[in-house]
Amino acid sequence: MIRLIENRNIRYEPDYLIKHFSESVSEEVYSFHKSFPGYSPTPLLEMRGLANQLGVNKIWIKDESHRFHLNAFKVLGASYAIAKMLTEKFCSENSLIDFSLFEDENIRHLIKDETLITATDGNHGRGVAWTAKMLGCRCIVYMPQSTTPARYENIKSLGAEVIIVDGDYDDASDLARKQAAEKNYMLIQDSSWDGYERIPLWIMQGYLTLIREALEQMRGEMPTHVFVQCGVGSLPGALNAYLLNRFERQAPLFAVVEPENAACVYESFAAGDGKAHSLQNEINTIMAGLACGTPSKLAWEIMRNHSNYFITCEDDTATDGTRLLNRQTFEDDIIISGESGAVTAGLIFQLLSDRTNNNLAEQLNLNSDSGIFLISTEGDTDPEMYQKIISQ
């Protein structure tokens, strides 16, 4: 079942938060990522066969499995936030954020005893650990009890200390936060709360490279619809803010997509009081990267005011999407996409191929003129689960 709720009070005028995602900020972020060794834009694939089958004009999918060989987009936010924080602490006030700063032996000597700490379901922690290794500092990562061996090893292999907690993602986040305060570690969390907003804001800004690349790769074309999967909300919040800041009322329709059993943003919006709410139900979804029970404060404030739609879907939407992108059913390029990465592709397919969803597709104004932008946010980050899904 797909649930959908419309934001009838959407604001198009950029507010104080939206202005943190300006063109000049995105240019600084983009320049920083391009300074990293081995940088290249991830592919933007036009799925012509799928678009023809579903009766829409275009479907573009940004394949983030190629991002710095880390199989997910999360490193964009982690690397920018960490570099910005270390530059602010150890370099001159007017230093440009650039990887070359961290090749200076004097700077590397200063930061080698710094410890980064975070909590993760997998991809964010891998990005933090990779950045710590690249820049030369220590890293501790807390992970929930449900963590798969593959996601654990992906992070441990980068030299981080990895600790599995007796609890879920929110429990891991609480422990990381406590340890950071007690031991003066640098907390690199991609969720914000009262009193902790600077680093999460930098992480969100780091994701702007993704949308900058995509718009350049579209070569002047523009999507009419953007569907983005949501955990705590940092990715959709950042992209929503950038698109609105750049295009205002000409911005694409923006939809936030969550698992049915981890829909903290959807339920917060449905409550109707303007506040972010933590889920009271058990978080149980195959989409590990989206299994979050509390929205990020900054992201929530952006999405509450500026996202057009909030959507939830079942786990079979994600598995359908994974299989769809793995097969050349419509003679399109194959995309290796994990369950959290493929959920929006599965959603579009269900909306436009199942007649029982016709009313939802009409409400979203999906038709033959639609150009739909999706992001495959991760590859096969859990190879065993991926093989299980595609073999069905």
Side-chain angles (χ1 to χ4, degrees):
M1 184 181 86
I2 297 169
R3 292 191 297 159
L4 179 152
I5 187 168
E6 182 180 1
N7 183 356
R8 296 183 181 276
N9 297 308
I10 188 169
R11 303 177 192 175
Y12 292 97
E13 297 73 23
D15 55 27
Y16 79 101
L17 269 179
I18 298 297
K19 291 176 180 178
H20 286 295
F21 299 87
S22 66
E23 200 69 3
S24 60
V25 170
S26 74
E27 183 58 44
E28 177 184 293
V29 173
Y30 196 17
S31 295
F32 165 71
H33 287 130
K34 288 192 287 188
S35 76
F36 260 85
Y39 165 81
S40 62
T42 55
L44 180 73
L45 302 174
E46 186 176 337
M47 313 297 281
R48 293 184 177 87
L50 181 60
N52 289 336
Q53 177 70 21
L54 297 181
V56 296
N57 184 33
K58 288 184 183 291
I59 296 175
W60 295 278
I61 301 181
K62 185 79 163 146
D63 183 2
E64 288 295 301
S65 69
H66 297 272
R67 184 66 68 183
F68 288 122
H69 305 290
L70 293 173
N71 220 6
F73 79 100
K74 286 280 192 174
V75 66
L76 290 173
S79 61
Y80 179 70
I82 293 165
K84 192 166 179 74
M85 182 170 56
L86 292 174
T87 300
E88 187 176 276
K89 184 171 182 178
F90 294 112
C91 302
S92 65
E93 185 177 343
N94 297 319
S95 294
L96 292 174
I97 303 171
D98 191 277
F99 181 77
S100 63
L101 286 172
F102 304 99
E103 295 178 308
D104 185 304
E105 288 303 318
N106 293 324
I107 297 298
R108 293 187 76 86
H109 177 74
L110 289 171
I111 68 176
K112 67 180 177 62
D113 294 325
E114 293 292 332
T115 298
L116 311 177
I117 189 167
T118 192
T120 186
D121 283 310
N123 295 334
H124 170 70
R126 193 176 184 183
V128 173
W130 180 83
T131 305
K133 182 177 180 180
M134 291 287 287
L135 303 186
C137 49
R138 295 181 60 236
C139 181
I140 300 172
V141 179
Y142 284 91
M143 304 188 76
Q145 192 174 38
S146 59
T147 298
T148 64
R151 291 193 172 103
Y152 173 90
E153 289 298 333
N154 283 339
I155 297 173
K156 191 173 179 61
S157 67
L158 292 167
E161 179 183 352
V162 186
I163 301 168
I164 304 295
V165 308
D166 184 16
D168 60 16
Y169 170 82
D170 287 346
D171 295 318
S173 181
D174 289 343
L175 280 170
R177 182 178 174 181
K178 181 179 178 182
Q179 286 294 301
E182 289 179 357
K183 298 183 179 179
N184 199 30
Y185 294 156
M186 290 184 175
L187 181 64
I188 312 296
Q189 210 56 47
D190 62 346
S191 185
S192 61
W193 51 84
D194 287 335
Y196 183 72
E197 297 183 359
R198 289 181 77 216
I199 291 171
L201 174 62
W202 291 339
I203 288 173
M204 291 175 70
Q205 289 173 333
Y207 298 147
L208 297 185
T209 288
L210 187 159
I211 192 67
R212 281 289 300 264
E213 289 177 355
L215 291 174
E216 286 183 6
Q217 290 164 323
M218 289 178 189
R219 299 181 180 180
E221 294 189 86
M222 268 284 290
T224 59
H225 295 70
V226 176
F227 291 80
V228 183
Q229 48 273 74
C230 180
V232 298
S234 295
L235 178 64
L239 303 193
N240 194 178
Y242 175 78
L243 290 167
L244 192 67
N245 189 81
R246 181 166 171 178
F247 300 108
E248 296 190 3
R249 289 185 177 273
Q250 281 68 52
L253 180 150
F254 198 95
V256 177
V257 181
E258 295 176 282
E260 176 66 29
N261 292 324
C264 58
V265 171
Y266 180 100
E267 298 298 348
S268 293
F269 190 83
D273 58 8
K275 299 177 182 177
H277 295 273
S278 296
L279 294 177
Q280 302 304 310
N281 60 280
E282 181 183 358
I283 297 172
N284 181 20
T285 175
I286 196 174
M287 293 171 260
L290 310 180
C292 306
T294 304
S296 169
K297 178 178 182 291
L298 291 174
W300 161 248
E301 291 177 8
I302 292 169
M303 292 182 291
R304 175 194 64 198
N305 293 333
H306 304 294
S307 295
N308 298 89
Y309 287 93
F310 302 90
I311 301 173
T312 73
C313 53
E314 304 283 355
D315 280 0
D316 65 359
T317 304
T319 54
D320 284 353
T322 294
R323 288 189 288 269
L324 176 71
L325 297 181
N326 176 262
R327 297 170 185 168
Q328 291 181 308
T329 308
F330 307 113
E331 299 184 353
D332 290 319
D333 291 321
I334 286 176
I335 299 176
I336 306 300
S337 185
E339 54 277 12
S340 296
V343 61
T344 52
L347 173 68
I348 293 302
F349 188 79
Q350 289 183 354
L351 284 170
L352 293 171
S353 66
D354 186 341
R355 291 183 178 180
T356 62
N357 293 320
N358 281 356
N359 61 325
L360 298 179
E362 289 175 7
Q363 189 174 347
L364 289 162
N365 201 28
L366 290 169
N367 54 49
S368 59
D369 295 323
S370 299
I372 302 168
F373 174 61
L374 310 175
I375 306 164
S376 175
T377 52
E378 65 171 9
D380 54 345
T381 53
D382 182 355
E384 184 176 343
M385 176 61 73
Y386 181 80
Q387 289 300 322
K388 181 179 178 181
I389 291 171
I390 65 170
S391 66
Q392 294 174 353

